[in-house]
């Protein structure tokens, strides 16, 4: 229980920042046979709700019309930690550094044209921040050709594992191993962990807190 509390993201601001950064989330609806259907989706988190665009027909929309209770999950794998970081033989010690947000809430299909317009423009601003398009307006016919799914959260739970459960000495040791392994994400992971790299030296700048 204590470890679970350490791994929990306590800052709603950090949760929102993470959701703004990530491009793919997964919506879970319940199908006609009672099984969860999980689909990756582009999304935007704005005004404290999740918006996604969809074709006007499809199983997920049918599922929502029967049962509005849904789940939504977004995660980022920061770094795979091979088992040999801890032991040259014991494969069970392999681990992963990650950030994950899980939302449980109520889904609906947006009918208001002004809300649909706001959601679509929000999606464009997120995925095409460089602009070079004309903003969508409520009178455009495109609004009739797309469905907007809205998830109103009932609970938002975030977890992250970036070494915050380790002593300063062990965190530094782990950072050195990650840097030596040299994955494409190593330096960005170390920054998230609270380290900076100066030449061959790893400098601890902050204790990671979310």
């Amino acid at each position: 229980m204590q470890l679970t509390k350490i791994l929990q993201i306590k800052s709603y601001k950090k949760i929102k920042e993470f959701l703004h950064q990530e491009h793919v989330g997964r919506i879970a609806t319940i199908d006609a046979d009672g099984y969860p259907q999980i689909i990756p989706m582009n999304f935007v988190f704005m005004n404290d709700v999740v918006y996604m665009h969809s074709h006007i027909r499809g199983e997920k929309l049918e599922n929502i019309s029967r049962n509005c209770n849904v789940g939504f999950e977004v995660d980022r794998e920061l770094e795979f930690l091979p088992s040999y970081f801890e032991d040259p033989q014991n494969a069970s010690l392999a681990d992963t550094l990650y950030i994950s947000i899980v939302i449980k809430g109520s889904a609906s299909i947006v009918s208001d044209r002004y809300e649909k317009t706001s959601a679509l423009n929000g999606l464009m601003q997120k995925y095409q921040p460089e602009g070079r398009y004309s903003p969508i307006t409520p009178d455009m016919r495109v609004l009739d050709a797309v469905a907007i799914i809205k998830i109103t959260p009932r609970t938002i739970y975030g977890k992250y594992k970036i070494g915050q459960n380790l002593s300063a000495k062990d965190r530094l040791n782990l950072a050195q191993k990650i840097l030596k392994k040299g994955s494409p994400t190593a330096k960005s992971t170390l920054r998230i962990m609270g380290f900076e790299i100066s030449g061959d030296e790893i400098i601890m700048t902050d204790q990671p807190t979310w």
Side-chain angles (χ1 to χ4, degrees), residues 91-109:
S92 68
L93 296 177
D95 204 350
T96 303
L97 302 182
Y98 65 88
I99 303 171
S100 172
I101 307 295
V102 175
I103 295 174
K104 295 180 182 179
S106 177
S108 60
I109 310 303

Side-chain angles (χ1 to χ4, degrees), residues 90-139:
N90 189 351
S92 68
L93 296 177
D95 204 350
T96 303
L97 302 182
Y98 65 88
I99 303 171
S100 172
I101 307 295
V102 175
I103 295 174
K104 295 180 182 179
S106 177
S108 60
I109 310 303
V110 177
S111 58
D112 181 84
R113 297 185 72 84
Y114 289 92
E115 187 175 5
K116 289 182 74 171
T117 299
S118 176
L120 288 170
N121 282 324
L123 284 160
M124 287 301 298
Q125 290 165 14
K126 176 179 179 177
Y127 289 92
Q128 194 170 314
E130 69 274 20
R132 302 179 67 178
Y133 63 89
S134 298
I136 297 165
T137 58
D139 59 319

Side-chain angles (χ1 to χ4, degrees), residues 39-51:
I39 299 175
M41 299 282 287
N42 294 136
F43 73 98
V44 64
F45 188 74
M46 51 187 287
N47 302 322
D48 297 316
V49 300
V50 177
Y51 289 106

Side-chain angles (χ1 to χ4, degrees), residues 6-7 9 14 76-79 81 95-100 159-166 170-172 174-175 178 188-195 206-210:
I6 292 173
L7 300 182
I9 300 175
K14 287 288 188 180
R76 185 196 305 171
E77 178 182 316
L78 300 174
E79 206 73 35
L81 307 180
D95 204 350
T96 303
L97 302 182
Y98 65 88
I99 303 171
S100 172
K159 286 178 66 178
Y160 72 123
K161 189 173 185 180
I162 58 174
Q164 72 272 35
N165 57 311
L166 302 176
D170 288 341
R171 283 180 55 232
L172 179 58
L174 176 59
I178 291 171
S188 62
T189 296
L190 293 188
R191 283 193 291 270
I192 293 173
M193 290 175 67
F195 294 96
D206 195 14
Q207 172 71 23
T209 55
W210 275 50

Side-chain angles (χ1 to χ4, degrees), residues 135-171:
I136 297 165
T137 58
D139 59 319
M140 287 183 173
R141 293 178 60 186
V142 67
L143 267 69
D144 301 317
V146 65
I148 297 294
I149 300 170
K150 175 182 179 179
I151 300 176
T152 303
R154 293 175 183 163
T155 62
I156 301 180
Y157 183 78
K159 286 178 66 178
Y160 72 123
K161 189 173 185 180
I162 58 174
Q164 72 272 35
N165 57 311
L166 302 176
S167 68
K169 179 181 178 180
D170 288 341
R171 283 180 55 232

